[in-house]
Amino acid sequence: IFEDATYKQFVESLSAPKTFEAPPDPVAALQPATAKDTPLLNYMKTRAAERRARQEKRERERKRWHDRLGRIEEKPKWRCAECGTSKHLEEDPDQRGVCYCTYCWETWESKEYKK
């Protein structure tokens, strides 16, 4: 058995000093390289880019549609004479064409009743 080549190779491998190689750290493999490279942040970045692309596409379509019709962007026709909002308007019966929002209308009425 001492003359066997495989046995001689085995004995030589035992006499050679061995160095320990630690396996890779599994926790380090799971953690991102930087704090800004987490899956959630990457997902949010891609979603924001997709939303921006959809918004730009809508803007281009809207602009192209308006260009075909020869229209310009329309602003609300009626606005509150006090605060300038375009929502919840009531027309003043004494002055045709003048509108007030519900809040301004009610504050004006409450001031009138207090007098």
Side-chain angles (χ1 to χ4, degrees), residues 8-51:
K8 286 181 181 180
Q9 188 179 11
F10 172 71
V11 171
E12 286 176 13
S13 69
L14 287 178
S15 65
K18 304 243 179 188
T19 57
F20 175 73
E21 269 188 52
D25 186 16
V27 175
L30 294 176
Q31 289 180 341
T34 63
K36 293 182 179 181
D37 195 28
T38 63
L40 177 61
L41 290 177
N42 289 336
Y43 172 76
M44 291 172 63
K45 287 177 194 172
T46 57
R47 288 283 296 172
E50 290 170 359
R51 276 197 307 271

Side-chain angles (χ1 to χ4, degrees), residues 47-59:
R47 288 283 296 172
E50 290 170 359
R51 276 197 307 271
R52 246 183 269 117
R54 277 197 309 270
Q55 180 66 24
E56 289 170 0
K57 182 179 177 185
R58 273 191 238 118
E59 291 291 328

Side-chain angles (χ1 to χ4, degrees), residues 51-94:
R51 276 197 307 271
R52 246 183 269 117
R54 277 197 309 270
Q55 180 66 24
E56 289 170 0
K57 182 179 177 185
R58 273 191 238 118
E59 291 291 328
R60 283 194 307 269
E61 290 293 323
R62 188 176 300 128
K63 188 174 183 180
R64 191 176 78 199
W65 178 255
H66 282 292
D67 289 346
R68 278 192 208 152
L69 297 176
R71 297 182 185 171
I72 57 172
E73 287 190 32
E74 298 176 9
K75 295 181 182 175
K77 186 176 180 181
W78 305 106
R79 293 212 170 263
C80 175
E82 287 290 319
C83 65
T85 187
S86 61
K87 303 205 183 319
H88 309 293
L89 298 175
E90 297 179 27
E91 188 173 7
D92 190 353
D94 298 332

